[in-house]
Amino acid sequence: MVREVSEGVEGTGVRCGVIGEVGVSYPMTDFEKRSLQASAKAQQITGAPLIIHPGRSQESPSAILDVLEGAGADLSRTVMSHLDRTVFSEEALLTLARRGCYLEYDLFGIETSHYPFAKEVDMPSDAQRVQWVKKLVEAGFSHRVMLSHDIHTKHRLVAYGGHGYGHLLENVVPKMKDRGISEDIISSMITDNPQQWLTFV
């Protein structure tokens, strides 16, 4: 990991800009714990930002942060992704926010309640995602919010009838404004937050 950030990937000279997305299941395996610890050490050495794919349990993000913090990771430079399908309690969300990591709602555009990887979970709609983001804004954590649409299948591209990469700006931002989130805060969430997270020497 250190070599790929500092020198480049497999002799290409192309340097990685982030560590991750580091995948973790729930319960966490010993191998995943070691992977998190190694990621924390690589972050210490390189200063690179870190992004985590949590297990499909509300307990997973906090357990991951415990391991990362114990290994010396900078939680303020760490993104916890996929919170849309992971955290469904306001108390749990705010507890996570107080630990200082970035909180990512990154499944915008998925408008089906069925979630095949965790059938006990009802996937939220974009309108519900906006309400979760608004809760974080109202609690004073807008500076820790990341927004995205985890486009990973062909049918979600515009060419195949999907909403495409413009969905966040074209559809979600207007919805956030309609729900009372100010333009300055929206701009900060979609510009300043990722810029601050991604910037390192």
Side-chain angles (χ1 to χ4, degrees):
M1 285 188 274
V2 171
R3 184 172 60 250
E4 290 186 353
V5 171
S6 59
E7 299 174 19
V9 179
E10 296 182 353
T12 64
V14 178
R15 296 169 56 197
C16 294
V18 301
I19 297 169
E21 184 182 34
V22 182
V24 180
S25 54
Y26 190 85
M28 185 188 308
T29 68
D30 288 341
F31 179 83
E32 289 167 343
K33 183 175 182 179
R34 293 197 306 273
S35 176
L36 288 171
Q37 291 166 334
S39 299
K41 291 185 188 309
Q43 187 195 49
Q44 284 180 299
I45 293 166
T46 63
L50 176 60
I51 184 167
I52 304 296
H53 172 109
R56 294 176 177 89
S57 165
Q58 190 161 259
E59 285 72 43
S60 181
S62 291
I64 290 167
L65 292 183
D66 288 344
V67 172
L68 289 174
E69 197 167 41
D74 182 354
L75 299 189
S76 73
R77 305 268 298 136
T78 300
V79 168
M80 189 63 65
S81 61
H82 309 324
L83 293 185
D84 326 41
R85 55 78 163 156
T86 309
V87 178
F88 297 99
S89 153
E90 185 173 352
E91 180 182 354
L93 181 63
L94 295 180
T95 298
L96 201 59
R98 292 184 196 104
R99 298 196 64 175
C101 65
Y102 284 104
L103 309 158
E104 187 166 88
Y105 282 83
D106 52 20
L107 299 174
F108 279 99
I110 297 179
E111 293 281 3
T112 176
S113 60
H114 176 63
Y115 185 51
F117 304 111
K119 293 183 179 179
E120 69 278 8
V121 169
D122 293 324
M123 187 69 81
S125 66
D126 279 2
Q128 291 169 311
R129 291 182 182 97
V130 168
Q131 290 301 322
W132 281 108
V133 169
K134 188 175 180 182
K135 289 179 192 296
L136 287 168
V137 169
E138 291 174 342
F141 292 108
S142 63
H143 63 296
R144 306 311 295 172
V145 174
M146 294 286 197
L147 305 171
S148 186
H149 31 47
D150 193 10
I151 295 178
H152 59 281
T153 53
K154 189 164 70 173
H155 78 280
R156 294 177 65 197
L157 300 173
V158 170
Y160 296 92
H163 50 72
Y165 290 106
H167 177 63
L168 194 65
L169 298 178
E170 294 168 1
N171 304 310
V172 177
V173 165
K175 175 65 75 175
M176 289 194 290
K177 290 178 182 177
D178 289 344
R179 294 297 174 262
I181 302 176
S182 74
E183 194 161 341
D184 285 348
I185 286 178
I186 293 170
S187 177
S188 176
M189 290 190 295
I190 64 176
T191 304
D192 298 341
N193 293 356
Q195 183 181 55
Q196 289 167 9
W197 174 63
L198 288 168
T199 301
F200 72 106
V201 178

